[in-house]
Amino acid sequence: GENVEQHPSTLSVQEGDSAVIKCTYSDSASNYFPWYKQELGKRPQLIIDIRSNVGEKKDQRIAVTLNKTAKHFSLHITETQPEDSAVYFCAATDTGGFKTIFGAGTRLFVKA
Amino acid sequence: DSGVTQTPKHLITATGQRVTLRCSPRSGDLSVYWYQQSLDQGLQFLIQYYNGEERAKGNILERFSAQQFPDLHSELNLSSLELGDSALYFCASSVGHDQPQHFGDGTRLSIL
């Protein structure tokens, strides 16, 4: 079945620096890749997503890149702020799109 | 507010008992997903329904079952509860597969 690996598990950056989180997936038929942010004690919230027919997508300080050949996708956060501190999850849907498999999460700390 | 309603917010019970968690999806969403999140862990996909039909299963234990009713709300039934079942259970809904999922605030289940 589909497997999603996420790295790093913990990331600490200085305010204003960039943060990059990387994920790989196993199912070559996956075609939808969302990213979720979960603040402490709260529900996961979608921050950006990308489909397999697109290589890159940006939304203000957040961008996601997808390399279908390598089965690899990444989240890029620029000009990080303390409020970006949270756990970030990548995910991929399996063939058919009914099952969503999440990565293990990256705990991002942004130091002021 | 995501528009997804989960009840109850908290549930405390004993080993061997049975509980029912309820989820009302966002208006217009036909898909409902259930996830388990143990302390400081990722999101484990349990099961997904689309318009009343089961469409995908994850690593859901045989002691767990779910259904989606004609009004599209869903219930997750957990029986013969064990200490290890203590977790945060999230419900999410989406318009369809391969679409952004909107999470409820979760039900925190504590087994004593």
Side-chain angles (χ1 to χ4, degrees), chain A residues 31-32 34 36 38 40-46 49 51 89 93-94 96-105 107, chain B residues 1-2 33 35 37 40-43 45 48 50 55-58 88 90 97-105 108:
Chain A
N31 56 17
Y32 178 61
Y36 290 84
Q38 187 178 26
L40 189 63
K42 297 191 176 181
R43 57 185 164 85
Q45 291 188 275
L46 181 77
D49 55 9
R51 299 187 183 277
F89 293 99
T93 55
D94 71 336
F98 296 111
K99 185 185 295 187
T100 304
I101 305 302
F102 282 77
R107 190 174 297 276
Chain B
D1 183 12
S2 66
Y33 307 77
Y35 296 92
Q37 187 174 43
D40 286 339
Q41 297 294 312
L43 291 156
F45 172 76
Q48 188 240 352
Y50 177 81
R55 287 298 178 94
K57 256 185 176 179
L88 192 53
F90 283 107
H97 66 278
D98 283 356
Q99 296 296 324
Q101 294 179 31
H102 303 270
F103 283 76
D105 289 333
R108 183 168 297 281

Side-chain angles (χ1 to χ4, degrees), chain B:
Chain B
D1 183 12
S2 66
V4 178
T5 303
Q6 287 189 249
T7 57
K9 292 188 185 304
H10 303 278
L11 200 48
I12 302 173
T13 189
T15 55
Q17 296 298 305
R18 172 189 170 93
V19 297
T20 298
L21 281 52
R22 182 188 169 100
C23 170
S24 293
R26 285 193 327 160
S27 177
D29 285 357
L30 299 179
S31 284
V32 169
Y33 307 77
W34 285 97
Y35 296 92
Q36 180 192 56
Q37 187 174 43
S38 300
L39 191 62
D40 286 339
Q41 297 294 312
L43 291 156
Q44 299 299 317
F45 172 76
L46 295 178
I47 199 164
Q48 188 240 352
Y49 286 84
Y50 177 81
N51 202 21
E53 292 187 12
E54 180 187 307
R55 287 298 178 94
K57 256 185 176 179
N59 295 324
I60 187 168
L61 299 172
E62 287 190 8
R63 301 184 285 108
F64 295 2
S65 64
Q67 54 183 325
Q68 185 180 29
F69 295 87
D71 67 353
L72 301 178
H73 91 271
S74 178
E75 293 180 357
L76 178 67
N77 300 297
L78 315 176
S79 62
S80 302
L81 288 168
E82 302 175 359
L83 293 176
D85 297 328
S86 294
L88 192 53
Y89 291 84
F90 283 107
C91 167
S93 72
S94 67
V95 172
H97 66 278
D98 283 356
Q99 296 296 324
Q101 294 179 31
H102 303 270
F103 283 76
D105 289 333
T107 292
R108 183 168 297 281
L109 176 64
S110 298
I111 312 299
L112 302 180

